[in-house]
Amino acid sequence: MRKTLTAVQKSLQAMKLDVDILEIQSDGGYGIGFGNERLDGEITLRIQTPALTTVYVKAKQSTREASVEHAIIEMIDGQLQNLPKKARFDAKKYNSLRQDPSSKSPRVGWARPGARLEASNSNVKQWLKVKLPSGETAYLKGTIIDDDEKQKRKIILSKSE
């Protein structure tokens, strides 16, 4: 799973995309949100056996983009062939997503500062409510930079805890 997660990160970066949000899921898998100004997408990683991880990719502009989905899967496969077994997701540039609006609550994932996320202000000062790829809610310490009501995803400036 760790090697697959690393392959996803490196593949998206190679395609001039990036992991915007990474959700730790209860089954040991991950939900990943990515995008740019024109394309939004999600990748779900699920553990089937200790040696088998399935990768689900969904990418869309105004409609689903099957060719982009296929290209991402091929890129991930190529990365998996070249990465060392001990490869790890690089979370240094990411800030923690929390279960509750408190730095002491459990971490449920990570978000990239400057990413476009579905977010709104919470009832707790300096904490934002962020929609995870699964549809659940997490909390991130930060502010909304671009609060255009017409835009579903807003640019977030997250702060270190």
Side-chain angles (χ1 to χ4, degrees):
M1 176 61 81
R2 289 183 183 134
K3 188 175 174 183
T4 304
L5 183 57
T6 305
V8 168
Q9 183 180 40
K10 292 191 175 298
S11 296
L12 290 175
Q13 289 171 342
M15 299 176 99
K16 305 297 183 218
L17 296 164
D18 209 341
V19 173
D20 290 333
I21 189 165
L22 175 64
E23 174 187 11
I24 303 166
Q25 296 183 335
S26 60
D27 64 0
Y30 292 94
I32 301 162
F34 66 92
N36 59 24
E37 294 80 29
R38 297 181 307 156
L39 179 71
D40 288 327
E42 293 179 359
I43 299 173
T44 304
L45 303 179
R46 293 207 195 297
I47 298 174
Q48 301 300 329
T49 70
L52 178 62
T53 300
T54 55
V55 179
Y56 301 95
V57 179
K58 183 170 71 172
K60 61 182 175 178
Q61 282 181 309
S62 55
T63 60
R64 284 212 41 205
E65 296 289 335
S67 61
V68 173
E69 294 168 357
H70 186 69
I72 290 171
I73 290 170
E74 284 185 356
M75 180 75 80
I76 292 169
D77 186 47
Q79 288 287 340
L80 281 168
Q81 305 301 319
N82 298 320
L83 286 172
K85 284 186 178 184
K86 295 187 179 200
R88 296 253 195 262
F89 181 86
D90 183 7
K92 286 183 242 165
K93 299 177 188 172
Y94 291 78
N95 290 335
S96 295
L97 293 168
R98 298 292 180 172
Q99 183 175 357
D100 299 308
S102 163
S103 298
K104 295 177 182 172
S105 70
R107 179 184 297 133
V108 295
W110 294 268
R112 185 175 57 81
R116 292 181 178 274
L117 304 175
E118 287 187 51
S120 61
N121 290 310
S122 73
N123 293 333
V124 180
K125 188 177 179 182
Q126 295 186 344
W127 286 89
L128 303 172
K129 285 174 35 173
V130 178
K131 185 178 176 186
L132 298 171
S134 67
E136 297 291 321
T137 299
Y139 294 87
L140 172 67
K141 203 168 195 178
T143 55
I144 296 173
I145 300 296
D146 177 17
D147 201 6
D148 183 357
E149 292 296 323
K150 297 175 189 172
Q151 296 293 325
K152 186 175 176 181
R153 294 169 46 128
K154 298 166 180 14
I155 299 173
I156 305 300
L157 177 62
S158 51
K159 300 174 184 167
S160 297
E161 298 175 22

